[in-house]
Amino acid sequence: MAHVKLHIPGPVEVSEKTFKALCTPMIGHRGQGFKDLYAKMQPQLQTLLSTKQLVYLSTSSAWGVMEGAVRNLVQKKVLNCMCGAFSDKWFDVSKKCGKQAEALQVEWGSPIRAEAIDKKLATGEFDALTLIHNETSSGTMSPLAEIAALKKKYPDVMFIVDAVSSMTAVPLNFDALGIDVLLAGTQKAFALPPGLAVFVASPAALAKAATAKDRGYYFDFVEFQKNAEQSMTPSTPAIPHIYALSSKLDDFFAEGLENRYARHAKTNQMTRDWAAKHGFTLFPEKGFESITLTCVNNGAKPGGRTVDAAKLQKLVKDQGILIDGGYGKIKGTTFRLSNMGDETEATMNQLYAALDKAMAQL
Ligand SMILES: *Cc1c(COP(=O)(O)O)cnc(C)c1O
């Protein structure tokens, strides 16, 4: 079967080099070979996230760590900041974990603003908050630095941040932000196959986790720290994915992180230009558009052009490229084009050519 290239916002296209790395012969996860592999990656991961903390590898999708963070760190009540499908779901997950939870809901396409969080935290009811940096469903980026600055005012509140679809595409300085958890799954901007998550926790988060009686085992942050100190993981990890991550980290540093960030900014601007050229507007509030994907407004909000999104998707797929036809309640009234991972100006131009051809047939 012919491969359809992925331009959806996750999973994204995986390179041949990465697939080869996945097929590296197996080793034992308690042996020196694995410890050497993890130890080689650790400083790269720490540089990537600008942190002195140990970076953990979780054999799970992002949701494992998202749920784990709630189980490890919420004792009183969690404020779930909600602005799209993934951040909305974190509220449900918190309740399913038996936690007291409150929704800070804004309209999809709007970012979460620091003032709104400040108002909620001022009540003193909360000991944790969850935030999604880049809400993939609506293509909206919330102002992370502005929100993280609140940590100084509320040092006892655990700031849990999902950077699933932004990590590696924009600079994320964990220690400087002063937040408590930063996590990502690897099938988005890392451009690895799904199945692995990367995360880091602050010393305060580790101390608090140690006091949580029902934090479970698989996502126990204390276990992750104890094992990471020995360059190991609590349970048998997805070693093929870890080989692939190591290969990918080498790619990141060969390209240069700054170049990687600039490439994402550039290819994202090209996609916005493509949308504008065809008379479309964007779904997110102006100034808060994601830089790893473009959520095109297709009738969800007034203004701009609309097309039959399902038909557009099919016409592009017939040319061997998969775009996304909109997520959740904005399916069809938006569509999404991803520029995350390995995409270059050249590969993005192939996408626009396919889109142009499809648009001419609509
Ligand atoms: C994809 C995504 C998730 C969920 O990831 P899973 O791999 O399905 O667990 C969570 N948050 C954001 C922002 C995402 O884009």
Side-chain angles (χ1 to χ4, degrees), residues 196-232:
L196 188 70
V198 169
F199 73 108
V200 60
S202 68
L206 292 172
K208 185 159 187 197
T211 69
K213 283 193 224 55
D214 54 358
R215 61 186 187 270
Y217 168 69
Y218 196 74
F219 296 107
D220 178 353
F221 286 9
V222 180
E223 286 287 338
F224 272 94
Q225 173 64 23
K226 223 165 60 188
N227 278 276
E229 285 167 4
Q230 313 290 324
S231 295
M232 288 192 292

Side-chain angles (χ1 to χ4, degrees), residues 9 61-64 66 86 132 134-136 162-165 185 187-188:
S61 79
W63 273 115
M66 291 163 79
F86 294 105
I132 291 191
N134 188 53
E135 178 45 83
T136 318
D162 162 324
V164 174
S165 56
Q187 79 274 28
K188 307 275 168 92

Side-chain angles (χ1 to χ4, degrees), residues 11 18 22 34 37-38 41 45 48 55-66 163-165 167-168 182-199 218-219 224 232-249 252:
T18 302
L22 275 164
F34 181 80
L37 174 66
Y38 194 179
M41 295 162 60
L45 290 164
L48 178 68
V55 180
Y56 312 132
L57 306 175
S58 170
T59 297
S60 66
S61 79
W63 273 115
V65 181
M66 291 163 79
V164 174
S165 56
M167 191 183 285
T168 83
L182 186 65
L183 69 102
T186 53
Q187 79 274 28
K188 307 275 168 92
F190 277 92
L192 290 176
L196 188 70
V198 169
F199 73 108
Y218 196 74
F219 296 107
F224 272 94
M232 288 192 292
T233 53
S235 55
T236 317
I239 295 170
H241 280 77
I242 294 172
Y243 276 128
L245 176 60
S246 176
S247 160
K248 208 70 225 177
L249 286 165
F252 295 170

Side-chain angles (χ1 to χ4, degrees), residues 168-183:
T168 83
V170 298
L172 291 167
N173 304 321
F174 181 73
D175 291 355
L177 285 167
I179 55 177
D180 296 290
V181 177
L182 186 65
L183 69 102

